[in-house]
Amino acid sequence: MLSLDTIVAPATPPGEGGVGIVRLSGPRAVDFLGTTFRGNTTITRMESHRLYYGKLFNSDEERVDEVLAVIMRAPRSYTGEDVVEIHCHGGTQILRSVLDLFLKAGARMAGPGEFTQRAFLNGRLDLAQAEAVIGVIKARSERASRVALDQLDGHLSQKIYKFSEQLKQSLALLEAHIDFPDDEVGALDLPGLLAPLRKISLQVDTLVGSFDVGRVLREGVNVLILGRPNVGKSSLMNAILGESRAIVNEIAGTTRDTLEEQLVLAGFPVRLVDAAGVRDTDDPVEQEGVRRAREKAAVADLVLMVVDGSCPLTGQDILALELCRPDNTLVVVNKSDQAQNCDLERLVGFPCRVSVSAKYSLGLDDLSEAILGLLKGGAASSEGEEGVVVTERRHRDALLLTKAALKELLASAEDSAPLECLAMDLREALSALGLITGETTPDEILDQIFSQFCVGK
Ligand code: GDP
């Protein structure tokens, strides 16, 4: 698909910066540069993928900015079309003026994600790769960006194409036996046909499983710090962050609202939330805090349930504990610097425990290790097939559809169903795989995906 119009947008975020970039793509991009740019080299002699210094002028011959310009000629460009990028000064007004020059020349303002959409439509990227572009931009940890870059490189797509290729071969074989009687193509080796499909079904399963890690990498882990007032939740949050953000106060129940902090723990982006103290109270502000803590505990990936190791458990500790699930709760026994006098044996069913002193920053390495252990246990540390991680819910859903179709096929084969039925299931599995790479994705879903991009990408 080659576009008729030429689009333009700032490629750098709004605000002030050293450099601002305006990007054009389309058949007239180079022409538009020619009408405004004056440098030592004329536009026609400019080499592709080389920066040239010059000045931009408007139609009144007034200088707009001093810039560097680069032409990236089709098809060796991001969109597959002629692309021009202008590196100008990074000021709001300058960027606006440069943009205006090209809009006046006849370019159209690009919609969100339109450059990437063109790259997809021109076959420069498949849909999974295009989605990875957002993943790379939005990555909040090194590990998340590595996984997104792998997806952009096509690691996931290659897997999907490999599956599709196998399914297409099996389908061709089936159709040959449907179309021609046995005596022409020989008897169908059904076990031979099913074996690779069984293998694919298992591989699809592994990929689906990798979404647990993928989701966490993409969205981050929600870690909730929970416990009755005064056990040291704020102190723990501060100790973990290594800075004094949360308010530490000796009066019970001072951490009324929830406080949130972002950090990276062993490559996982983590959102650390300090919940309000949990206890029965008549204070309406506190009750609201408790209600919120209850809600947060229900959706947290991990709960750090803090107790005071220096004194016996109270009814309030037990109340807080009742909000927790044993499989995602780490009991943090705080105040290890003091004589220990806590009846921890009452915490039956909560085997994950670690002893720390938030105040004196003791035991924090053990804490990190225990948190990671739980995250890995819960979010299945294993990456999928050959390190491929599924990060998009949409891809996970398509893989589940693929798996369901293959399961149906294997069950039908078991029941000696007609070959037409098996072929139908295979077509369904193929179509589900095509949703990931974009071959069978409906237009409205495509529009929805690209509308999540920022303008200029
Ligand atoms: P929160 O209400 O659970 O958030 O508890 P805070 O973090 O406000 O702490 C309550 C009190 O316990 C404060 O006086 C802290 O200094 C003290 N505290 C917190 N952690 C420790 C610790 O590890 N050791 C000792 N000795 N005191 C602590």
Side-chain angles (χ1 to χ4, degrees):
M1 185 219 77
L2 281 180
S3 319
L4 292 174
D5 56 354
T6 297
I7 51 173
V8 65
T12 41
E16 292 176 6
V19 177
I21 298 178
V22 170
R23 186 192 243 178
L24 292 124
S25 176
R28 300 196 58 204
V30 178
D31 281 354
F32 292 155
L33 180 68
T35 60
T36 60
F37 180 83
R38 310 264 169 79
N40 289 336
T41 313
T42 55
I43 296 291
T44 45
R45 305 191 71 169
M46 278 190 180
E47 285 175 44
S48 185
H49 294 80
R50 238 184 109 162
L51 272 179
Y52 290 89
Y53 168 81
K55 292 179 180 125
L56 293 184
F57 289 88
N58 65 18
S59 51
D60 298 329
E61 291 299 313
E62 289 163 345
R63 187 178 62 167
V64 175
D65 197 14
E66 198 178 337
V67 302
L68 289 170
V70 57
I71 298 173
M72 288 167 271
R73 292 191 194 274
R76 279 183 56 226
S77 73
Y78 183 65
T79 57
E81 307 171 333
D82 279 349
V83 167
V84 166
E85 281 179 10
I86 315 278
H87 298 222
C88 52
H89 288 99
T92 313
Q93 185 49 48
I94 286 286
L95 271 170
R96 196 173 296 150
S97 305
V98 173
L99 199 62
D100 269 353
L101 273 185
F102 294 108
L103 290 172
K104 280 197 183 124
R108 170 172 70 72
M109 186 70 191
E114 201 170 349
F115 291 92
T116 308
Q117 189 165 20
R118 287 188 174 195
F120 167 68
L121 293 172
N122 290 326
R124 296 285 295 168
L125 300 168
D126 64 33
L127 191 58
Q129 289 175 303
E131 287 171 296
V133 172
I134 309 187
V136 172
I137 293 173
K138 298 207 166 156
R140 286 196 280 128
S141 77
E142 213 176 302
R143 195 161 165 210
S145 64
R146 180 169 57 78
V147 166
L149 280 170
D150 281 352
Q151 190 178 319
L152 183 58
D153 268 354
H155 290 203
L156 174 66
S157 307
Q158 279 153 22
K159 276 250 147 279
I160 302 301
Y161 292 133
K162 222 169 93 190
F163 295 162
S164 301
E165 215 30 64
Q166 179 62 57
L167 296 193
K168 280 180 193 158
Q169 275 180 27
S170 307
L171 184 61
L173 198 65
L174 265 181
E175 283 172 340
H177 281 88
I178 293 168
D179 293 343
F180 304 103
D182 279 354
D183 46 332
E184 279 184 39
V185 284
L188 173 65
D189 169 18
L190 194 59
L193 179 106
L194 296 181
L197 301 180
R198 270 204 191 91
K199 202 169 142 206
I200 289 181
S201 177
L202 289 176
Q203 290 176 319
V204 167
D205 247 359
T206 316
L207 277 182
V208 169
S210 75
F211 180 67
D212 287 339
V213 164
R215 182 189 70 83
V216 157
L217 283 176
R218 193 185 166 81
E219 296 166 13
V221 200
N222 282 321
V223 177
L224 181 74
I225 304 184
L226 196 70
R228 71 167 166 82
N230 246 10
V231 287
K233 295 182 299 299
S234 318
S235 309
L236 183 69
M237 179 129 169
N238 290 342
I240 292 176
L241 288 166
E243 57 174 282
S244 299
R245 274 279 187 79
I247 317 141
V248 183
N249 200 303
E250 296 207 21
I251 305 162
T254 41
T255 316
R256 290 204 162 141
D257 211 338
T258 54
L259 291 169
E260 284 191 18
E261 292 289 349
Q262 311 265 356
L263 67 151
V264 172
L265 203 71
F268 289 99
V270 170
R271 208 164 57 147
L272 194 60
V273 180
D274 179 2
V278 173
R279 61 172 181 180
D280 279 324
T281 168
D282 295 333
D283 179 344
V285 181
E286 277 260 310
Q287 276 180 345
E288 176 58 16
V290 173
R291 193 188 59 76
R292 269 189 244 165
R294 210 178 279 277
E295 269 175 22
K296 299 238 173 198
V299 297
D301 294 301
L302 182 67
V303 177
L304 301 183
M305 166 68 206
V306 187
V307 297
D308 185 341
S310 69
C311 61
L313 293 170
T314 69
Q316 289 174 17
D317 287 315
I318 302 300
L319 191 71
L321 203 71
E322 279 167 1
L323 304 179
C324 304
R325 289 203 325 258
D327 62 314
N328 74 346
T329 300
L330 176 64
V331 177
V332 181
V333 185
N334 190 28
K335 310 197 185 181
S336 65
D337 55 290
Q338 294 192 332
Q340 296 297 284
N341 186 26
C342 188
D343 41 353
L344 292 172
E345 62 283 357
R346 288 178 68 193
L347 302 178
V348 276
F350 288 87
C352 296
R353 295 174 198 175
V354 65
S355 186
V356 302
S357 166
K359 189 170 183 173
Y360 298 103
S361 292
L362 302 174
L364 294 182
D365 287 346
D366 292 347
L367 177 68
S368 292
E369 223 165 88
I371 292 175
L372 262 188
L374 267 174
L375 286 181
K376 286 190 167 170
S381 67
S382 65
E383 297 194 349
E385 279 283 307
E386 292 156 26
V388 175
V389 177
V390 173
T391 52
E392 297 280 336
R393 206 168 285 276
R394 203 181 69 75
H395 300 169
R396 198 268 317 254
D397 293 348
L399 287 167
L400 285 174
L401 284 178
T402 310
K403 195 182 138 50
L406 288 176
K407 197 173 155 199
E408 191 69 35
L409 177 143
L410 294 169
S412 302
E414 194 91 346
D415 294 345
S416 314
L419 298 185
E420 281 85 355
C421 287
L422 308 192
M424 213 168 74
D425 291 331
L426 263 182
R427 276 188 218 106
E428 221 172 289
L430 262 171
S431 157
L433 287 176
L435 291 173
I436 299 176
T437 44
E439 286 145 54
T440 55
T441 316
D443 283 350
E444 61 269 26
I445 303 284
L446 289 178
D447 288 345
Q448 197 191 329
I449 290 169
F450 287 107
S451 67
Q452 295 166 32
F453 281 69
C454 42
V455 172
K457 192 64 218 172

